[in-house]
Every structure is written in C-alpha cells, then in structure tokens.
Amino acid sequence: MSRTTDAGDAPRGERGPSRRILLRTGFTAVVAAGTAAVLIPLHDHPQDTAPAPAQGPGRTTAGAAGAEEFAEMYRGREIRGGVSVLVPAAGPGSGAHHAEPVAEIRIDGRPLHVMRRADGTYLSDVTHYESFPTLRETARAAVDELGTARLALPASHHR
C-alpha cells in the first residue's frame, strides 16, 4: 500500500505545484521587482550630469582658464603652487586622450608632495592628517608645520 492520496479530480500521478515551488517562485518575483524598483531611477538618470565638487573661494576647475596658481611670501618663505594638466603621449592606434590634472607646490624652490582627495580637497606629506580646500591653504599649513625646517630634496637629487 502506498501512502499517496488522490488530490481531488486530478488523475492519479498528476499533482499540482508543491508548496516549495510556489514559495520559491513568489520569492524570486519579489526580489526581481525590488531590484527593478531600485535600478529604474538609476537608469533614468542622465549620465552626463555628474555632480561637480563645490566651488569655494579661490577654487576653479583644473585645466580651466585661471586655474588656481599662486606665488607669495608667507612667514618669510617663498611658496608657489598651481595645477597643471598632463596629457599622456598617444600610442599607436590609441583613441581619445585623458588629461590628468596634477597639483604642485614648492616651498623655497623645493617640491612638496601634494595629493588631491576625492572630495576635492588637498593634503600634503607634511600635513597628511589634515586636508585643505585650496593649494594655497595647503602650502601655508605646511610652512606653519615646518617652522624653520626645510623640505628635503627628492631622492633623485641626493646623488
């Protein structure tokens, strides 16, 4: 004797979908609908309108006319800085060029390594735990931190 029971008017051996299959199908439908609800606004958003970093006083976009450049005496030290745009040399068959802005600061003629953070602020090797909105403020903070000390020359100059 088998323990199977007949289900209503269905012929013997044919069953309807099991509870597990119904639950799995329902779960898959809910996940697909939730994913679509999250991705549709991203798909409808125009790709060309990336949010630009906030422009503060003395800040301009790198490579634009009048990009931040300065040269001044600060606390008896000559500080110079600016942003230059480096365009890599094109190899054979290469497509469009990708210009890369590079920030540079010199204190008394010696280079200070400066990095630009993702939020548009700058930090240097001297003040690496603090970031500043402009290159000028970064240079001044480095001079304040250095006091009477001088920046070391890069390793290539020590030969």
Side-chain angles (χ1 to χ4, degrees):
M1 267 180 97
S2 81
R3 301 186 108 195
T4 59
T5 59
D6 290 334
D9 294 340
R12 185 171 182 96
E14 289 186 31
R15 290 186 176 162
S18 70
R19 182 173 181 256
R20 179 178 291 168
I21 292 173
L22 288 174
L23 288 174
R24 188 180 301 159
T25 304
F27 177 76
T28 303
V30 168
V31 169
T35 303
V38 170
L39 294 179
I40 285 176
L42 294 176
H43 178 67
D44 291 341
H45 184 67
Q47 298 296 326
D48 294 22
T49 58
Q55 297 290 328
R59 294 242 344 243
T60 58
T61 307
E68 181 183 6
E69 289 188 25
F70 63 92
E72 68 179 18
M73 290 297 287
Y74 178 73
R75 295 194 176 188
R77 310 292 281 276
E78 178 191 14
I79 58 174
R80 293 179 178 272
V83 176
S84 56
V85 178
L86 296 180
V87 178
S94 66
H97 297 283
H98 177 67
E100 182 177 329
V102 177
E104 180 181 43
I105 293 177
R106 292 189 171 268
I107 299 176
D108 294 332
R110 295 177 179 223
L112 172 68
H113 184 164
V114 180
M115 296 161 281
R116 186 154 189 175
R117 295 174 45 126
D119 64 359
T121 60
Y122 297 94
L123 59 93
S124 72
D125 281 348
V126 175
T127 58
H128 56 274
Y129 290 115
E130 190 173 4
S131 58
F132 301 91
T134 64
L135 284 174
R136 183 184 310 257
E137 290 180 44
T138 306
R140 287 178 174 177
V143 167
D144 292 341
E145 188 70 27
L146 285 170
T148 59
R150 294 187 61 165
L151 285 172
L153 287 172
S156 61
H157 288 71
H158 288 298
R159 293 181 186 193

